[in-house]
Amino acid sequence: MTGEDSAPRHPAGDAPGPRILCDTGALTEPGDGSAGALWRLAEPGRQLDANIVRLPPARRVDTHTEPDLDVLLLVVAGAGTLISPDGPQPLAEGSMAWLPHGSSRGLMAGADGMSYLTVHRRRPGMRIQSAGIGTRHVSPAPPR
């Protein structure tokens, strides 16, 4: 770690403190019929996005390509399969996978379903800025 890495990024007193966000075991108990995002990181000022997603038995996330973001995936309950151009790869509870940006990937839940945590750089929302050098000005719609 360099001195640059350890430099504070928030003014004194403004930095958020570490805290427990959720109990993944309680979110992903076996037999839970939930599907989709069970939890999302929503703290203001964050630099990361994270989700815990539940896929019911034999359900899938279709094969797709994420052009911009690397994603870290950790199976927190159940099991399934990572589908990639290299062929299917088994995912057991505790498996961690790196899904590099530009890669083709899909997921298939096993017989008991699969819950997994994804973490990636936060994708910034759309911002409207005032006109200036290198920015695009968004004008209001003309009155009708």
Side-chain angles (χ1 to χ4, degrees):
M1 186 156 95
T2 67
E4 187 177 298
D5 292 335
S6 62
R9 302 212 186 267
H10 295 275
D14 288 345
R19 63 187 177 278
I20 305 299
L21 297 173
C22 73
D23 175 356
T24 62
L27 286 176
T28 60
E29 290 183 5
D32 181 0
S34 301
L38 303 177
W39 173 85
R40 295 178 196 275
L41 182 63
E43 278 50 42
R46 69 191 186 280
Q47 295 178 345
L48 294 174
D49 274 335
N51 303 287
I52 296 178
V53 178
R54 169 90 176 138
L55 283 179
R59 298 285 299 272
R60 65 184 309 132
V61 172
D62 289 333
T63 302
H64 64 285
T65 301
E66 166 51 59
D68 300 320
L69 299 173
D70 287 2
V71 176
L72 190 66
L73 181 145
L74 173 65
V75 178
V76 295
T81 304
L82 171 63
I83 296 143
S84 75
D86 295 334
Q89 300 174 50
L91 293 170
E93 187 171 323
S95 294
M96 185 180 295
W98 173 47
L99 310 174
H101 70 281
S103 68
S104 173
R105 66 304 258 302
L107 298 170
M108 171 72 95
D112 295 325
M114 179 172 66
S115 296
Y116 57 92
L117 168 72
T118 61
V119 180
H120 57 80
R121 177 177 39 89
R122 187 172 183 197
R123 191 184 308 259
M126 186 176 108
R127 295 182 190 161
I128 299 175
Q129 301 174 337
S130 61
I133 297 174
T135 63
R136 203 171 117 197
H137 180 70
V138 177
S139 300
R144 292 183 180 190

